Amino acid sequence: MNLVTFGASYSVTSINRAWAAAVGKRILELTGKEGNIHSLDLNKYDLPLYTVEREAQIGLPEPAKWFVDDLAQADLIVVSLAEYNGSYTAGFKNLFDWASRVELKFFQNKPVVVTSTAPGPRGGLTVLQTAADRFPRHGASQVVVGPALPGFKTHFDLASGRLTSDEWQQALDQSLQPLLESI
Ligand SMILES: Cc1cc2nc3c(=O)[nH]c(=O)nc-3n(C[C@H](O)[C@H](O)[C@H](O)COP(=O)(O)O)c2cc1C
């Protein structure tokens, strides 16, 4: 099983990238299946700000096509949403807009696990709900909603890539049940 994971952020030190990869690892553990995790760094997809005039001028940039091609390699996609001011980060929304011009249904009929994390107490819950509502319109065959993990530094150990909280481990495992029943 090929998992593609990414944090919806252009931060070089994105906590959501680390969290998405950890969720991917947990899915493989729970299924007991062999698999590969390809953790995308959005900085690979360097894109100008989307405008309709720019698209008319330059067409569809290669990095937007690479993103859609990289998603095509997945059997399962894990996205962890970073939240800026209650919404998507501008960088991810820009990539999202370009990708939707390459292929409106850019998730290409694959199951998508959506989750989020933040240093703060809501863990990015607002943007998580936005994405959970929106992603089926972009070709996610199934959207499995994982936790909005708050207090990232308190509940997650970056060195081991693991949760340090039993409560959040249970919340994650429980949220993945619908996925485990369908794959
Ligand atoms: C401009 C800006 C706005 C932010 N707004 C929110 C917010 O609305 N909710 C939240 O939980 N965290 C907010 N944060 C904190 C982010 O959750 C934090 O920077 C987190 O590390 C972003 O995820 P990333 O490391 O994956 O990029 C904001 C951070 C910045 C820089």
Side-chain angles (χ1 to χ4, degrees), residues 62 73-74 82 94 101 130 143 156 161 163 166 181:
E62 289 300 312
Q73 306 309 312
N94 191 49
R101 301 297 291 161
T130 303
V143 171
F156 190 85
L163 281 166
D166 290 344
E181 284 158 20

Side-chain angles (χ1 to χ4, degrees), residues 9 11 13-17 82-87 89 117-120 123-124:
S9 164
S11 167
T13 54
S14 170
I15 60 175
N16 281 280
R17 186 180 323 124
E83 182 174 274
Y84 279 5
N85 297 312
S87 191
T89 63
T117 190

Side-chain angles (χ1 to χ4, degrees), residues 145-169:
V145 183
L149 176 70
F152 180 75
K153 284 182 186 151
T154 310
H155 296 131
F156 190 85
D157 177 40
L158 267 174
S160 63
R162 289 195 167 270
L163 281 166
T164 53
S165 153
D166 290 344
E167 181 195 346
W168 285 101
Q169 186 69 62

